[in-house]
């Protein structure tokens, strides 16, 4: 059994309230994650305490930042086993969220989780971010894009900013190298129409590391040239 009280306590220390039914959903999610992880490699973390802090709690840090909106249309790029998208959805019924991953197995798992948790307004897609950025129904269609542990910032900006509406934000979950990555992202920001809006640093509980959230405001439309063909952003980043 998951130590729900511990998660509840940690979140309440950050001013985030969790209901019993939400804790129950986290418990089910964790159980399924562990089960599926025996068959497919969904996450490297095996220790339950680590999963609670480094995946679930970490995913929710964004809730206390200024640019987070409860009724936004959100896209989680490179969601993997659903981080941060699924925890954010569990915390907020109104959120409309698209979870994207380029691995088919991840989508299968996500659809299973969506079904057993009876989540509404969640779509799991098997796609590459670069491809979605060129699809008319996805391009500049989201209020908020989020991404955690997917790629270096200049690459990630090319994946995510084309998907964000002008006036919306892209929020990247980064580790201790956030500042260096930001220093190398000047050209990407300029080319893609983004500007740094805020940087927030967090220490994870129990000395589990540092987390930096970088919020990028989409200030102007992204040029039609971007995102470039699949794989180009990663190979020749801006
Ligand atoms: N966000 C999750 C998973 C991180 S691992 C977490 O924090 O736990 C990175 C994931 O991004 C992998 O599942 C990989 O399949 C996916 N990914 C990498 N490049 C991608 C791209 N261009 N488009 C969509 N998904 C991508």
């Amino acid at each position: 059994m998951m130590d729900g009280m511990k998660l509840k306590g940690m979140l309440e220390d950050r001013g985030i309230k969790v209901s019993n039914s939400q804790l129950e959903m986290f418990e089910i999610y964790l159980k399924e994650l562990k089960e599926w992880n025996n068959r497919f490699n969904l996450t490297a973390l095996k220790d339950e305490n680590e999963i609670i802090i480094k995946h679930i709690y970490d995913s929710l840090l964004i809730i206390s930042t200024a640019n987070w909106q409860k009724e936004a249309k959100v896209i989680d790029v490179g969601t993997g086993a659903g981080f941060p998208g699924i925890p954010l959805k569990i915390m907020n019924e109104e959120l409309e969220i698209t979870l994207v991953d380029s691995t088919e197995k991840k989508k299968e798992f996500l659809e299973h989780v969506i079904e057993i948790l009876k989540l509404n307004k969640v779509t799991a897609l098997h796609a590459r971010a670069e491809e979605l950025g060129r699809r008319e129904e996805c391009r500049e269609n989201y209020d908020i894009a989020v991404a955690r542990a997917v790629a270096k910032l200049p690459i990630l900006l090319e994946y995510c900013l084309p998907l964000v509406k002008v006036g919306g934000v892209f929020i990247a979950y980064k580790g201790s190298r956030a500042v260096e990555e930001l220093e190398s992202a000047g050209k990407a920001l300029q080319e893609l129409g983004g500007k740094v809006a805020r940087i927030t640093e967090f220490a994870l509980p129990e000395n589990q590391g540092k987390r930096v959230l970088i919020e990028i405001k989409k200030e102007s439309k992204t040029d039609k040239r971007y995102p470039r063909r699949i794989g180009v952003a990663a190979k020749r980043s801006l």
Side-chain angles (χ1 to χ4, degrees):
M1 276 279 276
M2 180 183 107
D3 192 347
M5 283 306 121
K6 179 171 173 176
L7 177 64
K8 190 181 167 89
M10 289 188 310
L11 288 170
E12 280 177 359
D13 287 344
R14 295 210 51 77
I16 301 170
K17 284 215 174 76
V18 208
S19 70
N20 287 340
S21 71
Q22 285 165 335
L23 281 181
E24 215 170 284
M25 289 165 97
F26 282 123
E27 210 163 285
I28 294 169
Y29 180 35
L30 193 93
K31 181 172 158 276
E32 295 298 321
L33 182 64
K34 279 161 99 185
E35 249 176 62
W36 281 59
N37 219 18
N38 293 328
R39 287 181 283 144
F40 310 121
N41 190 19
L42 289 174
T43 167
L45 299 185
K46 305 272 184 271
D47 176 64
E48 185 169 300
N49 193 48
E50 262 191 295
I51 296 179
I52 291 176
I53 296 175
K54 292 191 181 170
H55 282 344
I56 298 177
Y57 174 92
D58 185 75
S59 292
L60 298 175
L61 286 173
I62 205 173
I63 292 178
S64 50
T65 63
N67 280 314
W68 185 247
Q69 304 153 36
K70 283 192 158 176
E71 292 180 24
K73 195 167 169 181
V74 178
I75 187 162
D76 179 7
V77 174
T79 188
F83 300 105
I86 295 277
L88 290 170
K89 179 62 200 180
I90 288 176
M91 291 302 288
N92 185 357
E93 248 179 292
E94 292 313 308
L95 208 66
E96 187 180 334
I97 189 160
T98 302
L99 308 168
V100 186
D101 204 278
S102 52
T103 311
E104 178 82 49
K105 266 184 272 166
K106 308 266 167 83
K107 182 190 157 181
E108 269 173 53
F109 173 68
L110 295 169
E111 285 189 329
H112 172 70
V113 169
I114 291 167
E115 194 186 310
I116 58 167
L117 295 182
K118 301 186 179 66
L119 300 174
N120 295 313
K121 298 201 270 187
V122 187
T123 313
L125 292 180
H126 168 222
R128 297 269 315 196
E130 302 95 305
E131 177 206 327
L132 292 187
R134 305 188 77 100
R135 272 193 215 167
E136 203 188 333
E137 73 270 24
C138 298
R139 190 179 175 88
E140 302 192 324
N141 182 46
Y142 301 90
D143 303 302
I144 303 174
V146 293
R148 199 186 81 138
V150 177
K152 292 237 166 68
L153 199 58
I155 302 166
L156 205 52
L157 286 166
E158 187 166 346
Y159 290 168
C160 296
L161 275 179
L163 297 162
V164 179
K165 290 176 189 167
V166 173
V169 284
F170 162 50
I171 309 177
Y173 288 67
K174 286 288 171 190
S176 49
R177 301 177 70 87
V179 174
E180 289 157 56
E181 285 192 35
L182 204 49
E183 278 166 4
S184 67
K187 174 148 187 259
L189 285 170
Q190 194 185 353
E191 287 282 311
L192 300 157
K195 192 181 166 195
V196 179
R198 182 193 294 257
I199 299 167
T200 321
E201 232 183 271
F202 302 90
L204 294 175
E206 301 178 3
N207 294 318
Q208 296 277 4
K210 189 171 113 176
R211 168 67 62 215
V212 182
L213 293 182
I214 303 179
E215 297 174 54
I216 309 286
K217 181 122 193 222
K218 172 103 169 219
E219 292 215 305
S220 53
K221 282 199 145 200
T222 297
D223 192 289
K224 286 228 163 49
R225 273 180 295 164
Y226 303 112
R228 290 168 291 173
R229 277 180 298 114
I230 286 177
V232 179
K235 214 164 149 197
R236 285 189 280 119
S237 68
L238 288 168

